[in-house]
Amino acid sequence: MEIFDYVIVGAGSAGCVLANRLSADPTVRVAVLEAGGKDTHPLIHMPAGIVGLLPPGKSKANWDYWTEPQTQLGNRRLFWPRGRVLGGSSSINGMVYIRGHASDYDRWAQLGCTGWSWDDVLPYFKKSEDSARCAAGKHDDHHGLGSPLHTEQKLFSHPLVEAFLDAAPEAGFLNTDDFNGTHMEGLGVFDTTTKNGSRWSAAKAYLTPVKNRPNLSIITHAQAEKIIFDKQRASGIAYISKGKHHTINARREIILCGGAVNSPQLLMLSGIGPAAHLQSYNIPVVTCADEVGKNLQDHLDHLLQWTITAPVSLNRYGLFPHNITAGIQWALTSSGAGTYAPTVVGAFLKTRPELVAPDIQLHFIAGFGLPHGIEDKARAKQHGYSIHMCQLRPESRGSITLKSAKAMDAPAIDPSYLSASEDIETVLAGIDITKRIGNASVFTKLGAQQAWPTQAMQSRDTLIEGIKAWAETIYHPVGTCRMGSDDRSVVDVRLRVRGVESLRVVDASVMPKLISGNTNAPTIMIAEKASDMILTDWKTGHAMHKMLK
């Protein structure tokens, strides 16, 4: 049995940050347990390789989760890709760098999350970032320079991409230069977590540079089974690796970084959760915490499609021999089509002018895509373009619950999409706005014809039925270990699990409400802030202990 000062469960976006920051002190021993393997597969590092990482059954770097049947979506089970590899979901995501709107974090503070307002978190966004904007001399109050996570705007010249940006005035919108700056609203170019033609995941940014530190142990293929308690103190982790059971202990803290699915699952497997639910699986209750697994929120995606007669879309790169040529060019020269993230441009827009912040987000693809990159050879040959539209602040709430007492069994994932009636109204308004952009004259010059919503979806009722049969996740689950100052919250504002000692959760599951955008950058921010909290709490507690002695 090995003993460390800190044991981090999950080497995803948050876990990589904590591993780096906590092991910076050479007197502290840190261990990271990751259920997946190393991030060595070339598709992880080639930005366009995402098409081979997301579809079901395509990659060992993917948990390949499926939801429970969704009542409001025709009882369909939706595929939920999540990263199972060093870097977690930052190693398989779309690489879009978005922080959300300032009002998102001010709302957290209003809900009782003291210390998490926009003014509180902005320094940690900047602390994590190495912005190409700043390197180019465009210094402002919103970006950082010289930190681990490289971000850049990487716009490739393409007629469809240019048409999307040019559609703004005709559709009644503005263009914006920086979604993370002063003006979030409008159409513009995304900042991405890429560098030198490659994905810049949390593992590449935070873990790779420090992996050889003698006080840092990175243990891959290690599936956590449960937290070990000494009375109410979290003292270790039981895990399984290569069919053998192991135990690892922590002198100071256990830190869960498994994300919105795995962190609540491990808490419940360890006896922290709704008492009746745990007892139904004969799991001894360490502390009753009814909200573990509750408050699940996600962005539901609606993919609008257009065909074009002009043979200019990127679909050819999904077919032989173009895909092979692009891969070879990327491998040899770090250039070409393989270097681009799938969505280089997009938009944040309001469905109602009186809103404080945009409530829909668009991701534009210069190709005729399908949800999750599902293979369809006939459609892959069809030239066109696609616009993903999602509602940013849904009211629907779901849950993560156990299906068994075994860590190797996936939990029940029930996002309860569109269970709040007001959500469908925002979705319908968002689809109308997206159609205005996609049907702009700059596209019709390329022979554009709307393919989804189809011509049969003319009425409100038929469009809603189409949505139920078509919508999918856009990969932003949060909220299942809610942070708060109230006694019912799973963790307090310093991310300590209530009812026990020496245990924290640091990942997207602690968000009380879903932010207005992609969740990777906010998760990294949370971990940066948490690392300071952990170090401060240890120093304060250690000094207090010495004083009392």
Side-chain angles (χ1 to χ4, degrees), residues 206-247:
Y206 284 91
L207 207 57
T208 300
V210 303
K211 64 182 182 180
N212 293 323
R213 284 178 178 169
N215 62 328
L216 175 62
S217 294
I218 303 168
I219 307 170
T220 55
H221 301 292
Q223 171 70 56
E225 295 184 286
K226 67 176 181 178
I227 304 162
I228 300 168
F229 288 94
D230 180 3
K231 296 181 180 178
Q232 294 300 106
R233 180 185 176 277
S235 60
I237 294 287
Y239 69 95
I240 187 169
S241 179
K242 299 178 181 178
K244 295 183 178 180
H245 295 274
H246 305 266
T247 301

Side-chain angles (χ1 to χ4, degrees), residues 6-9 18 227 234 252-258 263 267 481 490-498 500-507 509-510 529-538:
Y6 298 102
V7 175
I8 301 166
V9 183
L18 289 170
I227 304 162
R252 297 186 183 179
E253 290 191 18
I254 304 290
I255 308 166
L256 306 189
C257 301
S263 284
L267 286 177
C481 297
V490 178
V491 299
D492 65 16
V493 296
R494 300 189 75 79
L495 309 186
R496 298 170 296 201
V497 177
R498 294 186 183 279
V500 295
E501 299 173 7
S502 304
L503 179 63
R504 295 191 207 231
V505 179
V506 180
D507 55 37
S509 72
V510 305
K529 185 171 171 62
S531 65
D532 274 1
M533 288 178 168
I534 292 165
L535 295 172
T536 299
D537 287 351
W538 168 252

Side-chain angles (χ1 to χ4, degrees), residues 47 50 53-54 88-96 193 199 342 475 520:
I50 186 175
L53 298 172
L54 287 185
S89 293
S90 76
S91 289
I92 69 169
N93 69 0
M95 293 154 281
V96 176
T193 50
R199 175 192 294 273
Y475 331 121
N520 182 241

Side-chain angles (χ1 to χ4, degrees), residues 203-319:
K204 193 77 170 285
Y206 284 91
L207 207 57
T208 300
V210 303
K211 64 182 182 180
N212 293 323
R213 284 178 178 169
N215 62 328
L216 175 62
S217 294
I218 303 168
I219 307 170
T220 55
H221 301 292
Q223 171 70 56
E225 295 184 286
K226 67 176 181 178
I227 304 162
I228 300 168
F229 288 94
D230 180 3
K231 296 181 180 178
Q232 294 300 106
R233 180 185 176 277
S235 60
I237 294 287
Y239 69 95
I240 187 169
S241 179
K242 299 178 181 178
K244 295 183 178 180
H245 295 274
H246 305 266
T247 301
I248 189 169
N249 276 14
R251 297 185 188 91
R252 297 186 183 179
E253 290 191 18
I254 304 290
I255 308 166
L256 306 189
C257 301
V261 176
N262 298 95
S263 284
Q265 180 191 23
L266 186 58
L267 286 177
M268 288 185 282
L269 290 172
S270 307
I272 301 174
H277 181 57
L278 304 187
Q279 289 164 350
S280 69
Y281 291 103
N282 297 315
I283 298 173
V285 177
V286 174
T287 187
C288 179
D290 288 335
E291 286 206 18
V292 171
K294 304 297 192 296
N295 194 47
L296 176 61
Q297 303 156 59
D298 185 30
H299 289 145
L300 184 63
D301 182 54
H302 311 271
L303 182 63
L304 283 75
Q305 300 174 315
W306 285 261
T307 61
I308 55 173
T309 55
V312 297
S313 69
L314 298 180
N315 289 71
R316 65 183 183 276
Y317 289 107
L319 301 173

